[in-house]
Amino acid sequence: MVQLFSLALIFLFIYLVHILVKFLLSPDRRRPKLPLPPGTLGWPYVGETFQLYSQNPNVFFASKVERYGPIFKTHILGCPCVMISSPEAAKFVLVTKSHLFKPTFPASKERMLGKQAIFFHQGQYHSKLRKLVLRAFMPDSIRSKVSDIESIALDSLKSLEGRSIDNTFLELKTYAFNVALLSIFGKDEIKYREDLKRCYYILEKGYNSMPINLPGTLFHKSMKARRELSQILARILHTRRQMKLDDQQHPDLLGSFMGDKEGLTDEQIADNIIGVIFAARDTTASVLTWIIKFLGENPSVLEAVTEEQEAVMRSKEESGKERLLTWEDTKNMPLTSRVIQETLRVASILSFTFREAVEDVEYGGYLIPKGWKVLPLFRNIHHSPELFPEPEKFDPSRFEVAPKPNTFLAFGNGTHSCPGNELAKLEILVLLHHLTTKYRWSLMGSQNGIQYGPFALPQNGLPIKLFRK
Ligand code: HEM
């Protein structure tokens, strides 16, 4: 009995020595403990969520930056967060050390868009998808689509002619949706447009709903619409496979996904098509809505843009060339392009993005603990007076000089930056060409408010009246 007790004591002693040695040799112990960034974490669990949502979120961010500097901690929606608002820190998170910060979204969004969609991934699978998406949206692939986009723009404007438009954003969503379908399905889109639209419009209502999957709830209806959307996509895939056409004949996103030699599954294709519609539509429609507002409020800029667009039109008439716009025409609109850049900066429709630290990370002498959310604050960078003097002023001429590196982040930066940026700029230019040369508009009601849905938008989606010139 005594022997057994001594043996147990020896084992206990060896075990304790082992733990002690491990503790003394651990790299964490030898490394000096870094402080967390400055800031406050608020109440247990709710943190500072009320402070953020009880006011314009940008006022919350700006007051924190003023108090704590460009990197600070807070606690939002149950998650400890580090917010960053300097171009250097944003580059560190999004570009240089992007492998240490994974994208992160609410689980309900993942279920709606589909968990195989590009946004939620890192590493090999993400690189493969990105290559396929970029292939479909690079200038060489979209230049052939200019005239189709133009006819969608002309139809959209015609449908609004002479009307009081209660919500300009809603109307422009239809335009951006139709262009997104064109870039995904090519000419096939017309056959499926109405079915896809009906399902997608039900699906999107659930994006910000409570994730309660019970009959009658918004979430339940959305999930049902998502299943129907997948079935329509399966039919389109089946038809293309039967026609045995390869991606050469289909220079669109679906062709790019189907032409991949390694092969994506149908589910992966469906998740990414739904994801691209989501990424392409409200963003582009929101930017266009802001442009219409800023041009309406700045008559001298509107006049200069109109002159530039009329010159494009005249040069086509004089040369006796086809009247349809070409890719080259859209590259000959420098002032209108600066208006787009300045709108992207002032409106900063994506105020920030989310990442999560995959391990403890040191930045600027602070610890960003594993599992904490990290938010690069795009809007604060775009509204910093050191980087953009008089930041609240709408002044497209500031883009006559290229912005300093990593300071203009409207399309993000690095690994997950926007692969659709060329298409977005193209469809905005085409619509603006016809809007400014053929139409006049007046802004209705109060113009000062901003709403978030989740992208920043003029109050009530910008009611306007549109007239033919
Ligand atoms: C003016 C309109 C647009 C704006 C302001 C915009 C902005 C952005 C930003 C900031 C990101 C990066 C988000 C992050 O780092 O977390 C992003 C990603 C993305 N955008 Fe856009 N976008 C626009 C239009 C489009 C269009 C037209 C498409 C497709 C045709 C598109 C497809 C995507 C995709 C697929 C991603 C995810 C990329 C990845 O995770 O690798 N976007 N966009």
Side-chain angles (χ1 to χ4, degrees), residues 94 118-119 126 130 133 137 276 279-280 283-284 287 344 349-350 353 355 378 409-412 415-420 423-424 427-428:
L94 300 173
I118 183 166
F119 322 97
H126 175 260
R130 208 171 153 80
V133 174
F137 295 130
V276 165
T283 47
T284 313
V287 173
L344 286 164
I349 60 153
L350 256 92
T353 189
R355 296 289 187 272
F378 296 149
L409 301 170
F411 290 109
T415 328
H416 288 271
S417 66
C418 181
L423 178 70
E427 61 184 288
I428 293 174

